[in-house]
Amino acid sequence: MFQQLIQLQQRLLAAQWKRSWSTAKQPDKQKRASEAPEAQATKAKAKDRKKSGATSEGVVAQNDPPKSCLTNKKTTFGPLHDCDRVFQNLYGCHDWRITGACKRGDWYRTADLLDKGPDWIMDQVCQSGLRGRGGGGYFSGTKWNFLRTAEANADKVLVMNCAEGEPGTCKDREILRHEPHKLIEGCLLAGFAMGCTRAIIYVRNRFYNEACNLQFALAEAYRHGLLGSSACSTGIRFDILVQRGDRYLCGEETALVKCLMGEIGRPRRRPPFLTEKGYFSHPCLVINAESVAVLPTILRRGPRWWADLGRSYNSGTKLFNISGHVNCPCTVEEEMSMPMRDLIEKHAGGVRGGWDNLLAVFPGGLSTSLINKQVAAEVLMDFECLEAAGSSLGSGALIVVNKQSDPIKVMLRSIQFYEKHTCKQCTYCRDGAIWLPELFDRFVRGEAHPHEIDWTVAIGKKIKDSNPICGLAQGQVNVACSLVDNFRPQIEDRILNCIKA
């Protein structure tokens, strides 16, 4: 009798909780009817932007090129001529200070470029077809225009992302170390075009020498009147501040902005977008360092020069990092759309043991999907070609893996990186960072069941379809799917050998 009374009380409490929850979830119709038309329009606009797949910069997922973007009809690409190199001091052979930078063409008639106005600068960027070099590959003219046209009651802020925590990537570090004045001048021109009065350069803590060079170059720019209350004696006020941090997650733009504000560097959901509410409620935009450093050269040489390099809509030059099992790991500037095989053999000395010894390649850093030797022999290093091959250009960091390595151990090390650096906010991403390393570890030892291979794909698909807060979860999915797509026979053989033993 006592147990029946307890069960009855539990049912009553559950029904009461259900009624209170449904009441709390049900919208107040009278309150909604009394809302101002402006508020309802704002909510509808935010809903439409979310449906269209807008990112925090307001760039739609389709990533259509600007209408004024120039094209070409080239069919062969690379090697890049020395006269077309943007980063002429990439290896630090010359003076990186302002005297040496001016000899290489930096700060040449920058005032004349500013006098032409922000409309002219934005038009040149759109015509050139410049795309972001940080990994997303958004057309810069479209992306920058969202901050430029954003209505703001506070000053706009340009944020430079030099975190560079992606394994295999070190291009921004070379820019900070050997070409800091290109970055500073690019910040001035890009910030002026978007209506910003200041810029913040976020530098990774481990880049101590690079941050020192950047600070010294900033002091030189202020001393010569290139920055400050009247940049280049044009009456335009523009200031640049350097801040430092050290976390892989801060490569994600919302986490980076939170870190700059002194908060925990974790991604957040959008809306509100950064162009609406960013750095201390100031509208801001996060841009990669390489994307801005090439801007002064484009404005001086013209958009046609830039558009004639690489394939149409994949134009310009790119800094590629080549590492892994190659004879000469290096960072090199090359023309976009250059064949991957030519890039590896010409600049990195080829694969250790020859091209036939190649197993697979990460074409754009650890977060991009692996491609096998057959695809690597034909694919071009640009956004659209790699996307058609099932991967992406990413940051342009090629990690080469040869046949002497254990591919399953390579993938285990890769997934362990995400296990350590995931922010633990999204449930599926957090649990995937626990399950996937356990599965991969069993695959290495062979102490697994064959159906666990399909579990790996299911976990990756669940993470991808769970609407995570940020795009960094895609890295785990790429590693999981690449393991199954490329090395499923090796996993099955290892399981079979373990059973026989």
Side-chain angles (χ1 to χ4, degrees):
M1 185 70 178
F2 182 69
Q3 292 180 352
Q4 293 177 353
L5 289 174
I6 292 177
Q7 292 176 359
L8 179 61
Q9 185 180 12
Q10 289 176 347
R11 292 196 196 100
L12 291 173
L13 289 173
Q16 184 179 2
W17 178 85
K18 186 176 182 179
R19 285 195 300 273
S20 62
W21 175 252
S22 61
T23 303
K25 292 287 285 183
Q26 186 176 9
D28 190 347
K29 295 183 180 180
Q30 296 180 354
K31 185 177 180 181
R32 290 183 63 187
S34 63
E35 282 185 346
E38 294 81 3
Q40 294 181 5
T42 303
K43 288 184 178 181
K45 185 177 179 181
K47 188 176 181 181
D48 292 339
R49 291 182 67 182
K50 189 173 182 180
K51 284 183 178 180
S52 66
T55 66
S56 57
E57 301 90 357
V59 182
V60 294
Q62 292 179 351
N63 193 25
D64 295 328
K67 295 181 180 179
S68 60
C69 182
L70 301 175
T71 60
N72 64 57
K73 298 181 180 180
K74 291 183 64 175
T75 56
T76 58
F77 312 97
L80 186 68
H81 298 292
D82 289 338
C83 62
D84 290 327
R85 299 193 186 280
V86 177
F87 303 98
Q88 300 175 20
N89 192 34
L90 184 63
Y91 304 113
C93 299
H94 309 289
D95 182 18
W96 57 267
R97 296 175 178 83
I98 192 168
T99 303
C102 289
K103 290 181 180 179
R104 292 188 296 274
D106 297 341
W107 298 112
Y108 176 70
R109 304 186 71 173
T110 307
D112 294 343
L113 300 178
L114 295 171
D115 288 339
K116 293 184 178 181
D119 293 337
W120 179 82
I121 295 176
M122 291 299 300
D123 183 61
Q124 297 290 294
V125 174
C126 291
Q127 289 186 40
S128 68
L130 174 64
R131 300 180 68 167
R133 285 355 193 192
Y138 295 112
F139 284 93
S140 298
T142 306
K143 178 178 177 180
W144 296 5
N145 195 51
F146 279 93
L147 180 62
R148 181 174 174 242
T149 57
E151 297 180 0
N153 297 323
D155 295 337
K156 300 176 184 178
V157 181
L158 177 64
V159 180
M160 301 301 306
N161 183 0
C162 297
E164 203 166 48
E166 179 73 15
T169 309
C170 56
K171 61 184 180 61
D172 295 343
R173 186 176 188 177
E174 303 296 340
I175 296 174
L176 293 172
R177 184 190 299 170
H178 302 308
E179 296 274 15
H181 280 282
K182 269 191 172 53
L183 179 61
I184 296 170
E185 186 183 10
C187 286
L188 171 61
L189 293 168
F192 170 69
M194 288 180 270
C196 302
T197 57
R198 55 177 166 159
I200 301 174
I201 302 178
Y202 178 90
V203 182
R204 194 176 182 185
N205 262 339
R206 301 183 184 184
F207 297 168
Y208 176 78
N209 293 330
E210 291 76 11
C212 291
N213 286 11
L214 180 61
Q215 291 280 16
F216 190 91
L218 278 174
E220 289 181 318
Y222 274 103
R223 180 183 178 185
H224 290 83
L226 304 174
L227 295 175
S229 58
S230 181
C232 301
S233 302
T234 57
I236 300 170
R237 180 174 185 84
F238 196 82
D239 296 295
I240 297 179
L241 174 68
V242 178
Q243 287 189 235
R244 300 172 66 186
D246 197 4
R247 200 179 184 200
Y248 171 74
L249 283 171
C250 291
E252 202 276 337
E253 54 188 12
T254 57
L256 187 151
V257 172
K258 291 178 69 174
C259 181
L260 292 176
M261 295 189 295
E263 302 177 14
I264 297 177
R266 285 184 174 180
R268 66 166 175 83
R269 290 200 180 274
R270 291 143 290 193
F273 300 97
L274 292 180
T275 52
E276 301 167 351
K277 185 179 180 181
Y279 180 73
F280 288 111
S281 298
H282 290 250
C284 70
L285 189 69
V286 180
I287 308 178
N288 179 259
E290 185 185 354
S291 307
V292 170
V294 299
L295 177 61
T297 308
I298 294 175
L299 297 181
R300 291 191 179 98
R301 301 193 63 170
R304 170 50 65 185
W305 162 77
W306 184 263
D308 284 340
L309 297 171
R311 290 199 306 164
S312 297
Y313 309 119
N314 296 271
S315 55
T317 68
K318 180 76 179 70
L319 291 179
F320 295 101
N321 307 120
I322 310 174
S323 60
H325 298 142
V326 292
N327 293 311
C328 300
C330 64
T331 298
V332 63
E333 181 181 7
E334 260 300 348
E335 183 180 4
M336 284 284 288
S337 304
M338 185 176 182
M340 178 183 288
R341 180 169 182 173
D342 294 348
L343 191 65
I344 294 174
E345 293 185 341
K346 178 177 177 59
H347 296 289
V351 182
R352 294 181 191 173
W355 183 260
D356 292 336
N357 197 37
L358 176 65
L359 180 64
V361 180
F362 291 96
L366 201 65
S367 60
T368 57
S369 300
L370 273 171
I371 58 175
N372 56 35
K373 183 180 71 173
Q374 290 74 20
V375 177
E378 301 176 357
V379 73
L380 304 180
M381 291 299 295
D382 62 34
F383 297 100
E384 296 174 356
C385 193
L386 281 169
E387 185 178 353
S391 188
S392 60
L393 181 64
S395 59
L398 290 83
I399 304 176
V400 179
V401 183
N402 67 4
K403 294 180 180 178
Q404 271 64 53
S405 60
D406 185 346
I408 309 177
K409 284 186 178 180
V410 171
M411 305 308 287
L412 173 62
R413 290 288 300 274
S414 302
I415 203 67
Q416 285 174 342
F417 173 83
Y418 294 102
E419 179 186 18
K420 179 179 179 181
H421 291 282
T422 181
C423 68
K424 312 295 190 297
Q425 287 190 97
C426 305
T427 302
Y428 289 106
C429 187
R430 177 179 64 247
D431 293 345
I434 298 172
W435 298 331
L436 289 175
E438 291 181 359
L439 288 173
F440 282 34
D441 185 55
R442 289 203 290 271
F443 292 155
V444 171
R445 300 194 309 267
E447 300 173 357
H449 194 279
H451 68 251
E452 293 183 7
I453 303 175
D454 296 325
W455 284 5
T456 303
V457 179
I459 294 172
K461 187 176 185 300
K462 200 68 175 179
I463 295 173
K464 185 177 181 180
D465 297 341
S466 64
N467 189 23
I469 294 175
C470 68
L472 299 179
Q474 185 66 31
Q476 293 188 84
V477 178
N478 289 335
V479 173
C481 295
S482 295
L483 175 72
V484 177
D485 292 342
N486 293 281
F487 308 120
R488 187 183 189 113
Q490 289 90 325
I491 299 173
E492 294 174 347
D493 291 343
R494 190 160 300 185
I495 294 173
L496 183 61
N497 293 333
C498 182
I499 294 172
K500 293 180 179 179

